[in-house]
Amino acid sequence: MKPKKLKEDEVLQKAENTYENRKKHYDIFLKKQQSTINFISTLRLIIFLAGLGFSIYFIFHKQYYLSSVIFLASVIIFIILVLKHGKIILNKNLTAALYDVNKTSIKRIKGQWKEFLDNGEDFKNPEHSYSEDLDIFGNNSLFQWLNTASTAMGREKLKELLINPDLNSDNTIERQQAVKELVSKISFRQRLNGEGNLIPKNKQNVQELLSWSAQKNDLVDKIYFKLALIIMPILTCSSIIYYLIKPSIGYALPLLFIAFNIIILKLGEKIRNDVLETAFYYKNSIKSYERMIRLIEKHKYKAQLLKNLHKKLVCSEGVKASEAISKLVNINNKISDRKNLFSIILNVLFLWDYNLIVGLEKWKRKYGGDLVNWLEVVGEFETLVSLSGIYYDNPDWCMPTFSKAMEIKAKSLAHPLLPDSRVSNNVVIGSRANILLITGSNMSGKSTFLRTIGVNLILAYAGAPVCAGEFSCSLMNIYTCMRIGDNLEKSISSFYAEILRIKMIVSAVKEGKPIFFLLDEIFKGTNSVDRHLGAETLINRLSEENSLGLVSTHDLELGSLEKKNEKVKNYHFLEHYKDNEIFFDYKLREGISTTRNAIYLMKMAGIQFDE
């Protein structure tokens, strides 16, 4: 075991060094960018004050032409610096996000991933066939360790992949190939992750955004609306120009048309705000999506799945997704300016808000239906990036192969979430026996071993590498019965809840599905006679069907099943004692357990028994 542990440490150290070097690079870059931002801020202030000062100075000296030139030049330079300043701030935010991506990657390698805030708690479902028992979501979960997706769609796609695996070997192999290709694209992976992290977490309601993009505004089709947008700006501007040419006519007419425009704006205030403010609310999110899509578009791919996803980033007219979303970003930029003085004047003269609504409506009708597909592509890429990240960190893990025969064969199989206490085992299910009966004393590793196989199967079906030297399996529906407790809300005891879960497994078997099951201490809520009889009946029933599984038990009498049923084979975990201490090696051995440690553990806890 020591040489293998040394190899794992060396592999992890290599990845950690890469992340450390990248983190240092971004840290240095951040400081340079902050220095540039400070310099431009100071220069901007100097230009403004100098331009204003010199303009006033030359006005006092009656050099109006020179004063105007200096003032205009200073305004132009000031605007250029403002734009430059904003661009560098945006780049600095991305650099900070990339710094955090590497910091997070280092934490994952060091086993500090349990501190990650996104643990997928919102995806927990006690009714699911295995997610609760295998710790797929929640604290210390597979999702918490694995996930690097930043967008709501990315999280959703990863969740679906973990709880509703695609049991099609061709599709899974395609995902494997995509994951392998993305492993070497560390800059691409981190950039995608960093861009997504710039999306405000409180603006991740992607369904609201998609609902908005699908809504049609019939107002823009009304004849009176179209005519008003053409006629009123012409009448208003014409009356103002006419007044400037012939002031003698008075300003009543221009004011009348301006008043009409204000009334029109007031009457449609709710409509304007509902449409424009929703778009503006997602302004930064849309910008991030645009940059993520542009990043995906500019890369070339070899894996077929990545090629297929890349092809989806176009609309029916052949316009690139990034170009289409860029048009929406430009409209949003105009919306963001609607509160300044210049936009207010434009609004009064040209009914500018309504023109923005028309622009948004045209965009939605042209591209709105494609938005969901584009965001799904982003989510798919984020999911694949999450999977490829663990392969980059653990290149000594293997990519599974898939067998048509019902079997699981693994060498050096270990739990992916236990790097410090990881112990590997070889296991074969299917060729000699369909059901492995696992016995062993308390704390010997039975439940962890069951979860080890279950979690690695989930990773395999997702298209990810597994924590093993070799791994081959068939594609099966996974069911578990491990952590069953009372449900007080439904007035269900733990024993009855266990019965319901067993019923779910048996029903799935009756449907002819290929089943893999994990049963941990089944029927523990009843007396020993019923427990033994129930477990024996269930195991015999499951062994006759298209299923594989493991059953852990303290009921050593169940070990006799191996002699009665050739599809059942006994394995056990062992402990040993030294200097009044108990030790476990967590190595799987053939045969039934011959040791017990309950009394010893109780004594260790300070509970004394009369001799």
Side-chain angles (χ1 to χ4, degrees):
M1 292 300 295
K2 286 186 179 180
K4 181 174 176 58
K5 178 65 177 174
L6 182 61
K7 183 183 177 183
E8 288 177 359
D9 289 342
E10 289 173 351
V11 166
L12 290 173
Q13 188 62 50
K14 183 178 178 181
E16 184 180 340
N17 289 340
T18 301
Y19 295 135
E20 282 287 1
N21 291 334
R22 295 178 72 87
K23 184 164 77 84
K24 288 176 184 177
H25 165 75
Y26 290 122
D27 187 36
I28 294 169
F29 196 31
L30 267 174
K31 290 172 182 175
K32 288 181 179 178
Q33 287 175 316
Q34 187 59 57
S35 178
T36 304
I37 289 170
N38 295 339
F39 173 75
I40 292 177
S41 296
T42 304
L43 183 61
R44 195 172 62 179
L45 180 61
I46 292 171
I47 294 293
F48 174 77
L49 294 176
L52 183 63
F54 280 114
S55 296
I56 294 171
Y57 173 81
F58 285 114
I59 286 175
F60 278 123
H61 287 77
K62 298 182 180 180
Q63 297 185 35
Y64 303 115
Y65 178 76
L66 186 56
S67 173
S68 300
V69 170
I70 291 173
F71 179 76
L72 184 61
S74 63
V75 168
I76 292 173
I77 295 171
F78 182 82
I79 292 173
I80 292 171
L81 289 175
V82 167
L83 295 174
K84 183 72 173 176
H85 187 259
K87 188 175 182 180
I88 295 175
I89 287 177
L90 185 62
N91 289 336
K92 175 181 170 285
N93 292 340
L94 177 58
T95 302
L98 291 170
Y99 175 89
D100 288 338
V101 166
N102 284 279
K103 184 178 178 181
T104 299
S105 298
I106 293 169
K107 282 188 173 183
R108 183 177 288 104
I109 285 178
K110 289 185 174 180
Q112 298 169 358
W113 53 269
K114 296 175 183 178
E115 301 172 7
F116 296 169
L117 296 179
D118 189 4
N119 59 15
E121 186 73 27
D122 50 321
F123 296 141
K124 285 175 73 71
N125 177 14
E127 305 301 321
H128 189 262
S129 64
Y130 61 77
S131 65
E132 289 289 295
D133 289 339
L134 298 184
D135 300 312
I136 305 300
F137 307 111
N139 289 329
N140 309 328
S141 66
L142 182 67
F143 184 90
Q144 188 177 22
W145 167 73
L146 171 66
N147 177 51
T148 61
S150 309
T151 70
M153 193 67 81
R155 295 179 74 251
E156 184 70 25
K157 290 291 182 182
L158 181 59
K159 182 259 292 188
E160 285 298 312
L161 199 57
L162 295 178
I163 65 171
N164 293 312
D166 182 359
L167 300 181
N168 180 300
S169 60
D170 292 337
N171 294 344
T172 307
I173 291 169
E174 276 195 358
R175 281 198 301 276
Q176 287 182 343
Q177 292 168 347
V179 167
K180 288 177 182 178
E181 181 174 340
L182 290 174
V183 169
S184 61
K185 296 180 181 290
I186 184 170
S187 295
F188 168 82
R189 290 190 285 108
Q190 292 195 344
R191 176 71 180 271
L192 191 73
N193 190 197
E195 293 284 10
N197 283 337
L198 295 179
I199 299 175
K201 299 305 176 188
N202 63 334
K203 298 181 181 179
Q204 284 275 13
N205 189 345
V206 72
Q207 291 306 319
E208 184 179 359
L209 177 61
L210 294 175
S211 175
W212 169 83
S213 70
Q215 288 174 354
K216 287 188 176 181
N217 191 336
D218 295 331
L219 178 66
V220 300
D221 297 320
K222 305 295 184 184
I223 295 296
Y224 65 82
F225 180 80
K226 292 178 179 179
L227 290 174
L229 281 187
I230 296 171
I231 294 171
M232 289 309 299
I234 291 174
L235 291 176
T236 304
C237 294
S238 297
S239 66
I240 292 172
I241 293 170
Y242 189 56
Y243 166 72
L244 294 174
I245 295 171
K246 289 190 68 174
S248 59
I249 67 165
Y251 49 77
L253 191 60
L255 286 181
L256 179 64
F257 287 126
I258 288 172
F260 274 138
N261 286 351
I262 291 173
I263 291 170
I264 292 171
L265 289 169
K266 190 66 180 175
L267 289 174
E269 186 174 19
K270 186 178 186 307
I271 295 174
R272 289 187 295 121
N273 289 339
D274 287 348
V275 175
L276 298 179
E277 288 182 7
T278 301
F280 177 70
Y281 182 76
Y282 287 103
K283 175 187 173 183
N284 292 330
S285 301
I286 292 168
K287 279 185 178 179
S288 292
Y289 284 127
E290 180 208 1
R291 291 192 296 268
M292 294 173 84
I293 288 171
R294 199 176 293 279
L295 177 67
I296 294 169
E297 284 177 343
K298 76 177 186 179
H299 280 262
K300 294 190 180 297
Y301 307 98
K302 297 178 182 177
Q304 191 59 49
L305 176 58
L306 299 180
K307 287 181 179 179
N308 293 341
L309 291 172
H310 186 265
K311 288 177 183 177
K312 292 182 179 181
L313 293 178
V314 291
C315 70
S316 55
E317 297 179 352
V319 176
K320 286 184 177 181
S322 61
E323 293 175 8
I325 295 181
S326 180
K327 294 176 182 178
L328 180 58
V329 170
N330 290 334
I331 297 172
N332 268 328
N333 288 337
K334 294 172 184 176
I335 293 173
S336 66
D337 294 332
R338 60 194 289 255
K339 300 298 183 183
N340 65 40
L341 180 61
F342 183 69
S343 291
I344 291 172
I345 294 171
L346 283 177
N347 217 9
V348 172
L349 296 179
F350 300 102
L351 302 175
W352 190 245
D353 277 2
Y354 290 117
N355 283 282
L356 291 176
I357 289 174
V358 171
L360 279 175
E361 189 62 24
K362 286 181 179 178
W363 188 93
K364 288 197 288 183
R365 293 184 183 188
K366 197 170 186 179
Y367 306 114
D370 295 310
L371 185 60
V372 62
N373 296 327
W374 298 338
L375 297 189
E376 283 183 352
V377 169
V378 171
E380 292 282 2
F381 262 90
E382 284 192 298
T383 298
L384 293 168
V385 163
S386 292
L387 301 179
S388 62
I390 63 171
Y391 206 8
Y392 181 86
D393 294 346
N394 303 278
D396 55 329
W397 292 9
C398 76
M399 270 296 182
T401 58
F402 300 102
S403 170
K404 292 183 178 180
M406 286 283 288
E407 64 177 14
I408 296 176
K409 294 181 180 179
K411 291 184 179 179
S412 300
L413 181 70
H415 200 298
L417 305 187
L418 301 173
D420 294 332
S421 56
R422 185 180 292 160
V423 175
S424 62
N425 281 289
N426 299 335
V427 62
V428 177
I429 313 173
S431 59
R432 290 185 294 173
N434 286 12
I435 298 177
L436 306 189
L437 189 67
I438 313 295
T439 54
S441 55
N442 297 291
M443 299 167 56
S444 60
K446 300 187 300 297
S447 300
T448 299
F449 181 66
L450 265 60
R451 289 192 177 90
T452 295
I453 297 179
V455 170
N456 278 294
L457 273 180
I458 299 302
L459 288 175
Y461 295 166
V466 298
C467 186
E470 294 179 18
F471 193 88
S472 175
C473 64
S474 51
L475 294 159
M476 303 168 283
N477 296 276
I478 301 173
Y479 289 85
T480 62
C481 183
M482 300 179 71
R483 278 199 198 110
I484 305 298
D486 297 337
N487 190 325
L488 299 180
E489 290 182 3
K490 295 183 178 180
S491 300
I492 295 176
S493 68
S494 60
F495 178 67
Y496 188 64
E498 192 174 18
I499 293 293
L500 293 177
R501 179 55 66 96
I502 296 297
K503 180 184 176 182
M504 181 193 298
I505 298 173
V506 172
S507 297
V509 167
K510 285 181 179 179
E511 292 175 12
K513 298 177 181 178
I515 298 296
F516 178 78
F517 60 86
L518 296 170
L519 309 180
D520 189 22
E521 298 295 340
I522 53 172
F523 304 134
K524 52 184 173 288
T526 188
N527 63 75
S528 58
V529 175
D530 284 346
R531 180 173 67 247
H532 178 86
L533 181 60
E536 184 172 334
T537 302
L538 177 63
I539 291 170
N540 283 327
R541 173 77 174 83
L542 292 174
S543 70
E544 297 171 0
E545 303 293 342
N546 191 30
S547 61
L548 302 179
L550 289 89
V551 180
S552 73
T553 182
H554 281 106
D555 185 359
L556 300 183
E557 287 75 13
L558 275 178
S560 61
L561 266 176
E562 184 183 72
K563 298 177 181 178
K564 306 173 188 176
N565 188 336
E566 62 180 9
K567 293 184 178 180
V568 178
K569 187 166 182 61
N570 289 322
Y571 284 88
H572 72 280
F573 289 96
L574 197 64
E575 81 276 5
H576 67 277
Y577 303 87
K578 183 179 179 181
D579 298 330
N580 252 355
E581 290 187 63
I582 187 170
F583 296 92
F584 303 97
D585 62 10
Y586 306 112
K587 297 298 292 181
L588 188 67
R589 296 171 170 84
E590 291 190 15
I592 195 165
S593 174
T594 58
T595 61
R596 298 171 176 82
N597 64 13
I599 298 298
Y600 186 84
L601 290 173
M602 293 170 75
K603 287 182 177 180
M604 285 180 63
I607 301 173
Q608 300 299 321
F609 295 87
D610 294 332
E611 296 294 338

